[in-house]
Amino acid sequence: MPLATTRRTGLVDQVIAQLRASVTAGEWPVNTRIPTEPELVEALGVGRNTVREAVRALAHSGILEVRQGDGTYVRATSEVSGALRRLCGSELREVLQVRRCLEVEGARLAATARTDEDVATLRSFLDTRGLADPTEFARADTEFHLAVVLASHNSVLIELYRGLTEVVMASVATSSSTPQGAMFPHDGLVDAIAERDVERAGAEAGGFLDELLARLPNQDC
């Protein structure tokens, strides 16, 4: 229903919510261009200024990115993800450092809180990761690491890591495309979590990231 039929008060917030919903639902995937301003005006039934304010707000939160002369693109799927993207920037080293902070603690907590179902899930994702072809490896590896964090059963840590998922996937894709980023086995990590070995789980989770960081040249990803 056209939003112009509603009260003017809060109209921008309603447009923001509708645009955000289109991103969250996957209608506009990350890195794709959203409809033009005139198209949004027609589709939503609101004024140009309302659309402009809503897009500006979502760009400020990191969900959208306005590229002058090219259009507006989806940058992240949530405000949390957008904020973390701004924090990490495009520097691969910084992304890996943030990943280490979250993934090491996630693995340690998983070794304490994991269930038998969590272990089975981790082994399943590990198998999928091992069989993934180069075009699917980044997604499979990211899903595995998310499963480790999910096994921590710490809702705050999980929310933070979910917000970082797109950055993690980008870092995996970048790292795995270089000689120093050859696929690291994670069987030891899963075994440590399964055996409730907290110290080993943390060491396994941080070890491969430390190796990547040590080999990484000082350049943007």
Side-chain angles (χ1 to χ4, degrees), residues 139-161:
R139 181 175 299 280
D141 189 61
T142 301
E143 289 176 345
F144 168 77
H145 289 292
L146 175 59
V148 171
V149 175
L150 288 171
S152 75
H153 296 278
N154 182 300
S155 59
V156 176
L157 180 61
I158 290 169
E159 180 64 20
L160 285 172
Y161 197 80

Side-chain angles (χ1 to χ4, degrees), residues 23 28-35 55 58-59 62-76:
V23 172
W28 301 334
V30 173
N31 295 326
T32 62
R33 186 168 54 188
I34 71 171
V55 169
L58 289 174
I63 292 179
L64 299 180
E65 178 183 4
V66 179
R67 302 177 186 175
Q68 294 300 325
D70 189 23
T72 300
Y73 287 75
V74 178
R75 180 173 172 81

Side-chain angles (χ1 to χ4, degrees), residues 21-101:
S22 293
V23 172
T24 303
E27 181 181 343
W28 301 334
V30 173
N31 295 326
T32 62
R33 186 168 54 188
I34 71 171
T36 64
E37 188 176 279
E39 289 172 334
L40 291 174
V41 167
E42 182 177 355
L44 298 174
V46 297
R48 185 179 295 268
N49 287 339
T50 300
V51 169
R52 193 168 296 162
E53 288 179 41
V55 169
R56 186 182 300 119
L58 289 174
H60 180 72
S61 70
I63 292 179
L64 299 180
E65 178 183 4
V66 179
R67 302 177 186 175
Q68 294 300 325
D70 189 23
T72 300
Y73 287 75
V74 178
R75 180 173 172 81
T77 57
S78 70
E79 280 81 357
V80 172
S81 180
L84 287 169
R85 275 179 173 270
R86 291 198 303 275
L87 173 66
C88 294
S90 61
E91 174 60 51
L92 180 58
R93 182 179 300 279
E94 294 180 10
V95 175
L96 294 178
Q97 289 169 341
V98 173
R99 282 187 61 187
R100 192 186 190 288
C101 292

